[in-house]
Amino acid sequence: MTSWTDRLFAAIWRGLILFAALGVLAPFLLYATGAMDAMRLGFYIQQLVSGAAIGCVYAMVALGIVLIYKATETINFAQGDLLMVGAFLSFTTIGIFGLPYALGALLAVAAAFLFGILCERAVIRPLVGEPAFSIVMVTIGLGFFLRALVGLTPGWGTDTFTIPTPFTDHTVQLGPAIISQNHAAIILLTMALCGALYLFFAKTKIGVAMQAVSENQLAAHYMGIPVKNLFTLIWGLSAAVAGVAGLLLAPIAFVHSQMGFIVFKALPAAVLGGFASLPGAIVGGLIVGIAEALAGFYLPQGFKDVAAYALLLIVLIVKPEGIFGESGMKKV
Amino acid sequence: MRALLKTAYAQDIRLFRYGGTGRLVCGLLFYAALLVIAPRGFLTAWGACLYALAFGIILLRRDSQDEGGSAAFWYGLLGVALLSAPLLADDYAVSQLSFVLTYAIAGIGLVLLSGQAGQISLGHAAFMAAGAYTEAILHNAGAGLLVSLPAACLVAAALGVLVGLPALRMRGIYLALATYAFAFIVEEILARWETVTGGNQGLTMDWPRLVLPGVSYGFESEREFYYLVLGVFAAALLAALNLMRSATGRAFQAVRDSEIAAKSMGVNVAAVKTTAFTISAGLTGIAGALYGHLLFTITPEGFTIFLSINLLLMIVVGGMGSLHGAVFGAIFLVVLPQLIASFRDLLPPALASQSGIESGIFGLIIILFVLFEPDGIYGRWVKIRAYFDLFPLYRKGSFRRQRRTMASERDR
């Protein structure tokens, strides 16, 4: 049963996709017809790649939000602050202790995992079964608290820091464009992380159990799955993903106690992807990052900052279930 | 918290429905004394004596009052205190009181939306900004209060409709995200549309004027403006009470408790949500207009997501179940920064110089309230009142909330 409004919105949606595809490809077409010179095209490609790189970071934060949402049906507004903590942890291992990049990163992500578990046990576990609103408020409070905590930690504070990486200050030539290795590393590592997560959810027992919990908590419980312990693990996993995101974001945006506000860009990404879909979160993050790059390329200054939100509003009105989401509407 | 719905309009609309406020005040004093003298309750001899004494007073008072009469008395006393505040307190205290009442007006709007209709809004700062900017523009163009205040309300309400419209197609958490995306865009517009909003410099405004045919009266000080705020607050409170009792208010509750059940009872869920957003936004717009006059200078930076979160914090701490919660929360929101500032002197200087400590304490308080006092300050008030009403029978579990085994928005 489809009403004319549904058909109308579906048509608008197809139009929007066409428009977006045109927006992405237009400079290439212009270059092919000779209306745009190689330098401008190179600049465009650089914008596109840096947009995709920041989009990957959005994607990972969105991924963490979606992981928690799927399992517990609450939105974790502290996800950005978990990223911030993760970035500070890698700053500690790599920047302060001076460990090699790979080892330091590994340790920092492991620490972020434990930190996520700690957060869940301290503030979320007592609220299992309470209304979603309560938990959302607690995560907002947790975010505030973490920001202050990092500001008060000796050695971290409210200053800005950088993490030395092996990629910094190196570039790759890609056609007419010069790509920073930082951006390339972010994109490649995100792809690797997605692959690892896919294997984890599809092949391991715990991964499958997590899927079961996010499908139906009660049924999972009856099947003998320790639902509450899995919540803890999911928080840990989500914090570890945030830790990776923090590690990758650090070279392109300084490490400081306010970097958690990236969550406000990751939420539109999560909605874009349907909010309950892991691949959707990745695609959503990429779309938001690229949309920002396009807005920066085509439109006057200022539009770049609102691109994510404008996109979110459009998607919420035209296709509220997101790109990958299934329609959850119940008819009475 | 469930509202009590009676059938007769006269009964519903009675302001002072519940007796026993006098008993409550005695009880509160007693409770405070108990906390000081005997923290373990009547296990100690002192506590036992106090209990006997207080119980005697409570029993004596119970005979001498009719239902609601004593509540009327205490609220009357509160009213007199509020009316005489500008005569007794200094300028600073009066302006702080105006801030409390202004926040409370916005809080009433938010309680209607979140507590009654069950919709989360992360974008109320946008409605407040809409009210404040409309008021500033009209005021600076020479319009009187009787034009600018309703205009501020209408502009904010129109934005509320705009935000509520997506409600036709989405619900729950998606709606909350729509409000927050919307608030970001409004903030950006305020910063960029320099010809009208003054960009990042913002707009300035002084005290409002009341222009009636033949008469023109300009407010001149905090004290005079306070009476305006008090009047608007009282009107908003009465309007909200009336609304909560009406069919619309009951539809709000039905939608909050179960959308599917509401739908099957014939409630037009989308229309109800849009209505809730409109009314809530309108009230918040009025609060924004008053807020602008109190601040003198309004800038986009004053209306960010953090104001929205503060407003949300206000009703969580105050208690979403009742309009009382909005007022308690507003008091909390105004008093807390000052408490923190005064505690700051007690901290070691290295810690006290950190700028983030305030937001950290804010965060901690949100967490502690949701964990230990989920019904907010008003919930505690109700529990204490029940303690004295049911005196020897109150048990720790009397207000225990039922937990749902399956927390699923999808099936609601």
Side-chain angles (χ1 to χ4, degrees):
Chain A
M1 191 185 75
T2 53
S3 64
W4 66 273
T5 47
D6 288 348
R7 284 202 300 277
L8 175 70
F9 279 124
I12 295 176
W13 181 242
R14 282 194 295 275
L16 281 172
I17 291 176
L18 201 68
F19 178 71
L22 259 179
V24 175
L25 296 178
F28 294 105
L29 299 176
L30 286 177
Y31 176 69
T33 57
M36 188 185 267
D37 57 15
M39 222 181 103
R40 186 89 177 127
L41 181 71
F43 175 70
Y44 172 73
I45 293 175
Q46 278 163 30
Q47 291 284 304
L48 211 57
V49 170
S50 80
I54 191 85
C56 281
V57 177
Y58 296 156
M60 268 188 277
V61 179
L63 193 68
I65 294 173
V66 168
L67 272 174
I68 289 177
Y69 179 78
K70 269 176 82 90
T72 58
E73 303 228 339
T74 50
I75 297 183
N76 178 20
F77 274 88
Q79 191 68 25
D81 299 286
L82 289 178
L83 172 145
M84 185 257 306
V85 170
F88 269 98
L89 286 171
S90 16
F91 166 69
T92 311
T93 55
I94 300 164
I96 298 179
F97 295 159
L99 297 175
Y101 186 77
L103 179 65
L106 214 60
L107 276 181
V109 171
F113 178 77
L114 292 178
F115 188 79
I117 287 181
L118 182 76
C119 286
E120 199 273 348
R121 290 311 289 254
V123 295
I124 306 298
R125 173 67 68 90
L127 288 174
V128 172
E130 295 281 333
F133 182 74
S134 307
I135 308 185
V136 168
M137 281 314 290
V138 155
T139 60
I140 290 176
L142 183 67
F144 273 106
F145 182 67
L146 289 181
R147 239 167 284 145
L149 194 70
V150 165
L152 293 176
T153 307
W156 291 0
T158 43
D159 298 331
T160 54
F161 304 98
T162 50
I163 300 177
T165 71
F167 329 111
T168 317
D169 300 332
H170 296 286
T171 52
V172 200
Q173 186 79 26
L174 187 77
I178 298 162
I179 309 288
S180 151
Q181 274 200 10
N182 276 329
H183 292 154
I186 291 175
I187 295 172
L188 291 177
L189 279 173
T190 306
M191 280 160 65
L193 184 77
C194 292
L197 278 177
Y198 171 76
L199 287 180
F200 173 75
F201 278 109
K203 302 289 178 195
T204 66
K205 212 171 170 182
I206 296 180
V208 174
M210 280 181 182
Q211 286 194 47
V213 169
S214 64
E215 283 297 321
N216 189 330
Q217 290 176 9
L218 204 57
H221 181 71
Y222 289 154
M223 290 292 126
I225 294 170
V227 174
K228 284 187 173 183
N229 292 342
L230 273 186
F231 284 173
T232 312
L233 272 185
I234 285 171
W235 264 78
L237 185 63
S238 178
V241 172
V244 175
L247 178 76
L248 294 181
L249 182 62
I252 55 171
F254 298 101
V255 177
H256 57 97
S257 59
Q258 308 293 318
M259 71 196 295
F261 295 134
I262 196 170
V263 74
F264 294 127
K265 295 279 176 65
L267 279 169
V271 174
L272 233 53
F275 226 99
S277 152
L278 295 180
I282 303 288
V283 175
L286 280 175
I287 290 176
V288 169
I290 290 174
E292 281 188 344
L294 289 183
F297 185 75
Y298 286 115
L299 298 173
Q301 203 198 352
F303 280 92
K304 192 177 176 183
D305 298 330
V306 293
Y309 310 113
L311 204 60
L312 172 62
L313 272 188
I314 292 172
V315 169
L316 278 177
I317 293 168
V318 178
K319 198 169 161 62
E321 67 271 20
I323 300 168
F324 283 73
E326 72 272 39
S327 172
M329 282 284 183
K330 270 202 175 174
K331 300 267 188 245
V332 180
Chain B
M1 234 167 284
R2 297 289 176 266
L4 204 59
L5 297 168
K6 297 178 178 171
T7 42
Y9 181 77
Q11 218 174 352
D12 283 344
I13 210 62
R14 259 180 71 189
L15 273 184
F16 307 111
R17 244 173 290 171
Y18 310 108
T21 310
R23 249 178 298 153
L24 171 68
V25 172
C26 293
L28 272 179
L29 291 176
F30 163 66
Y31 191 76
L34 205 68
L35 283 177
V36 174
I37 299 169
R40 298 287 306 277
F42 53 83
L43 292 178
T44 63
W46 268 110
C49 291
L50 269 174
Y51 260 89
L53 191 71
F55 199 45
I57 295 172
I58 290 166
L59 283 182
L60 275 179
R61 282 199 57 90
R62 186 167 280 175
D63 300 330
S64 65
Q65 59 192 204
D66 60 324
E67 194 194 343
S70 93
F73 171 74
W74 289 105
Y75 277 112
L77 207 63
L78 179 66
V80 171
L82 283 176
L83 281 173
S84 55
L87 308 174
L88 304 173
D90 60 2
D91 277 357
Y92 180 70
V94 172
S95 81
Q96 292 300 306
L97 213 50
S98 303
F99 269 113
V100 168
L101 293 175
T102 309
Y103 279 128
I105 296 169
I108 291 171
L110 208 49
V111 163
L112 284 179
L113 184 71
S114 296
Q116 288 298 114
Q119 309 300 314
I120 309 173
S121 164
L122 290 167
H124 258 53
F127 303 134
M128 226 161 154
Y133 273 87
T134 310
E135 173 78 15
I137 290 164
L138 287 178
H139 174 76
N140 290 340
L145 196 66
L146 288 182
V147 177
S148 60
L149 202 59
C153 175
L154 284 180
V155 169
L159 285 181
V161 177
L162 210 63
V163 175
L165 273 185
L168 298 169
R169 312 231 325 141
M170 69 183 111
R171 57 194 182 151
I173 226 81
Y174 289 89
L175 202 51
L177 288 171
T179 61
Y180 118 98
F182 170 77
F184 261 105
I185 291 174
V186 167
E187 190 195 324
E188 198 64 28
I189 290 173
L190 291 181
R192 300 274 167 189
W193 196 10
E194 292 182 359
T195 48
V196 175
T197 64
N200 283 319
Q201 267 84 49
L203 295 174
T204 54
M205 60 215 272
D206 52 4
W207 301 116
R209 285 176 305 278
L210 203 60
V211 184
L212 285 170
V215 198
S216 175
Y217 174 76
F219 290 84
E220 273 166 5
S221 68
E222 274 100 354
R223 287 158 204 271
E224 289 176 15
F225 187 67
Y226 166 80
Y227 283 110
L228 173 72
V229 178
L230 187 61
V232 174
F233 168 72
L237 196 63
L238 287 178
L241 275 174
N242 216 343
L243 177 82
M244 278 160 75
R245 179 271 161 204
S246 68
T248 314
R250 285 192 296 241
F252 283 1
Q253 290 178 20
V255 169
R256 173 194 66 191
D257 291 339
S258 165
E259 283 187 21
I260 291 175
K263 234 183 233 172
S264 32
M265 302 293 279
V267 174
N268 183 346
V269 173
V272 164
K273 282 193 209 168
T274 312
T275 313
F277 263 100
T278 312
I279 293 171
S280 177
L283 271 174
T284 312
I286 291 178
L290 299 174
Y291 188 62
H293 281 299
L294 281 169
L295 288 179
F296 293 113
T297 307
I298 48 175
T299 59
E301 273 175 21
F303 298 95
T304 56
I305 178 102
F306 297 104
L307 180 64
S308 303
I309 290 178
N310 268 352
L311 291 175
L312 213 52
L313 164 82
M314 176 170 85
I315 60 162
V316 166
V317 168
M320 286 203 290
S322 155
L323 294 179
H324 295 80
V327 181
F328 284 128
I331 296 173
F332 175 82
L333 203 60
V334 170
V335 169
L336 183 71
Q338 302 182 356
L339 267 186
I340 293 175
S342 57
F343 273 121
R344 195 171 263 253
D345 303 333
L346 302 176
L347 292 173
L351 215 64
S353 62
Q354 290 293 342
S355 55
I357 194 160
E358 259 146 38
S359 65
I361 291 175
F362 258 69
L364 202 61
I365 285 173
I366 300 181
I367 295 176
L368 293 179
F369 259 95
V370 176
L371 283 183
F372 299 113
E373 202 68 83
D375 294 323
I377 299 174
Y378 181 68
R380 174 50 54 190
W381 174 270
V382 168
K383 282 172 205 163
I384 295 171
R385 186 165 69 189
Y387 181 87
F388 287 103
D389 275 357
L390 309 170
F391 173 59
L393 300 174
Y394 185 88
R395 289 292 175 272
K396 222 180 155 184
S398 297
F399 280 89
R400 180 168 297 156
R401 284 140 54 102
Q402 267 195 338
R403 289 184 174 218
R404 285 180 292 140
T405 42
M406 198 162 56
S408 184
E409 288 257 311
R410 285 172 236 175
D411 299 332
R412 279 219 295 167

